[in-house]
Amino acid sequence: MAAPTAPAGGVVVRVMATGMCRSDWHAWAGHDEIAFPHVPGHELAGVVAEVGAGVARWQVGDRVTVPFVCGCGRCRWCRAGEAQVCPDQQQPGFTHWGSFAEHVALHGADTNLVAIPERVDFPTAAALGCRFATAYRALVGRARVAEEEWVTVVGAGGVGLSTVMIARAMGCRVVAVDRHPAALAAAAALGAEHTVLADGADVPAAVVELTGGGSDVAVDAVGSEQTCADGIRSLRRRGRHVQIGLLPPVHGHPRVPMDRVIGWELDLLGSHGMAAADYPGMLALIEQGALCPELLVERTIGLEEAAELLPTFDRAAVAGMTMVDPAR
Ligand SMILES: [Zn+2]
Ligand SMILES: [Zn+2]
C-alpha cells in the first residue's frame, strides 16, 4: 500500500511507538463508521517525516505525539483550546488510516501536535495520546478531584490503571474494581487502597462499605451498562461520575440509573481525550516524575502480533498497556 502523504496543514509522522486500545477493538468490531481497507491505531509517538503546506510550528525531525482527537484548528472550540470536542475533528485510525503502520498522516499540525520533552521516550509519549490523557482530563479537568477524596475506578485496564496512578498523584484515595485478579494486583501496586473483584459481587455495596458511605468520584473505564451503573451507584450524595469507557449503542442505549442521579444530585460527566493545549500541565508532572506512564506499559509487540491480538482485545486479560513497535 502507498505511504501516506502530508495533507495541507498537516504532517506525516514516522511511527516509533503506538498503543493498542479498546477503541481499536471497537473499530475492528464495526462499532464506528469506517471505510475499508483500513489501518487502525490512534495512540502514537514518532518523528515528523514530511511537512504539508501551511504548517508553521513543525519541521522534519521533530519528536512529537498527538491527542487521538485532532481538531480542525479553525472553529470556536479549537480556538478556545477545546479541540477534543471539535465538530470537524479527525481521528487517526478512525476517520483515516492510523498508526499501526510505519507512517501516519496527521491533520491540523499547528493545533494538535505536542513536542515530546527530551527526557520522555517514545513509548511513554505514545501512552499519553488516548488513555492516559483521557484519564488525566477525567480527574483534573472534569471531576476536578481534591486531595483525600475517594475515587472509585471501575476497570483496571490501560485507562483504568492510568486513572489510579493520576488519582494517587493528586492525593486521592482509590478503590479499584475489575473482573481479573491480576488487574487488581496491578492497581494495588500503583497505590489503590482497596480492590473489589467484580466477579458477580455487589460492587456498589462493597464500595460504599470500603469508603464509609460512598465514593466522591467514580470513573467507568470499561464502558458497559453494568460498569456505568456500578460507578454511579458507588457514589455518595452529590458525587461525580465520569464516563470514559465507550458505550456505542450497538445493543441499544444503556440504561442509566437516572433516579439516583436526580435524587442524590450526582454529576454525570463525559471525557473525550484531551486537547493538545492542555498537555503542558500533564507533561510537567511526567518530567518531575510525579506521573510515570511508562510503568503502565505491560508489553511491547510487533505489527504482526498486533494484528493477531486485535480481534480478541475485548477479552484479553491485560494488566496495563500493550505497546506496538512497528520496527520490531
Ligand atoms: Zn484509545
Ligand atoms: Zn475545530
Side-chain angles (χ1 to χ4, degrees):
M1 295 196 199
T5 53
V11 298
V12 169
V13 165
R14 181 156 67 91
V15 180
M16 304 300 284
T18 178
M20 184 178 292
C21 169
R22 199 176 156 93
S23 312
D24 295 309
W25 174 82
H26 278 294
W28 181 88
H31 301 165
D32 301 273
E33 277 183 36
I34 276 169
F36 291 98
H38 183 65
V39 178
H42 61 279
E43 300 184 341
L44 67 113
V47 176
V48 174
E50 187 194 338
V51 178
V55 174
R57 293 178 51 212
W58 305 99
Q59 294 175 342
V60 169
D62 287 343
R63 299 166 79 246
V64 295
T65 186
V66 70
F68 77 92
V69 176
C70 292
C72 70
R74 298 178 303 273
C75 72
R76 58 179 285 195
W77 287 276
C78 284
R79 288 203 309 270
E82 307 270 19
Q84 80 279 3
V85 292
C86 171
D88 238 347
Q89 63 190 251
Q90 300 273 349
Q91 297 183 13
F94 300 97
T95 59
H96 63 284
W97 287 9
S99 54
F100 291 173
E102 286 157 333
H103 292 92
V104 61
L106 300 172
H107 299 260
D110 286 339
T111 299
N112 300 304
L113 294 195
V114 177
I116 302 174
E118 231 169 75
R119 279 182 289 172
V120 176
D121 63 17
F122 288 115
T124 305
L128 304 179
C130 170
R131 288 168 286 182
F132 200 83
T134 301
Y136 183 87
R137 180 162 168 75
L139 292 178
V140 177
R142 303 295 279 141
R144 298 172 185 272
V145 294
E147 264 182 62
E148 295 295 317
E149 281 194 312
W150 281 105
V151 174
T152 295
V153 182
V154 184
V159 76
L161 292 176
S162 302
T163 308
V164 171
M165 176 184 284
I166 296 159
R168 290 295 300 132
M170 298 296 152
C172 300
R173 303 173 73 182
V174 175
V175 181
V177 180
D178 201 280
R179 288 178 299 172
H180 301 290
L184 292 177
L190 290 170
E193 194 168 323
H194 299 294
T195 59
V196 176
L197 189 62
D199 216 2
D202 184 340
V203 169
V207 174
V208 168
E209 171 80 33
L210 290 167
T211 56
S215 201
D216 298 287
V217 171
V219 175
D220 175 10
V222 178
S224 73
E225 186 170 284
Q226 179 74 49
T227 52
C228 174
D230 280 349
I232 291 168
R233 292 191 180 283
S234 296
L235 292 171
R236 61 183 65 196
R237 292 162 195 264
R238 306 285 329 263
R240 297 96 81 196
H241 172 89
V242 191
Q243 189 64 38
I244 294 181
L246 299 177
L247 279 161
V250 278
H251 305 297
H253 285 286
R255 287 167 297 177
V256 175
M258 293 305 282
D259 53 335
R260 176 66 65 91
V261 172
I262 295 164
W264 287 19
E265 287 201 348
L266 307 177
D267 290 344
L268 291 192
L269 305 162
S271 184
H272 193 233
M274 185 165 81
D278 287 334
Y279 268 55
M282 178 176 70
L283 286 171
L285 290 171
I286 291 168
E287 278 197 284
Q288 291 160 19
L291 294 175
C292 309
E294 67 275 15
L295 296 180
L296 303 173
V297 177
E298 185 193 24
R299 58 183 159 172
T300 302
I301 58 178
L303 281 172
E304 250 176 69
E305 204 181 329
E308 284 167 22
L309 180 64
L310 183 59
T312 64
F313 204 63
D314 62 321
R315 283 165 282 140
V318 288
M321 295 199 189
T322 299
M323 209 45 79
V324 181
D325 177 358
R328 209 175 161 100

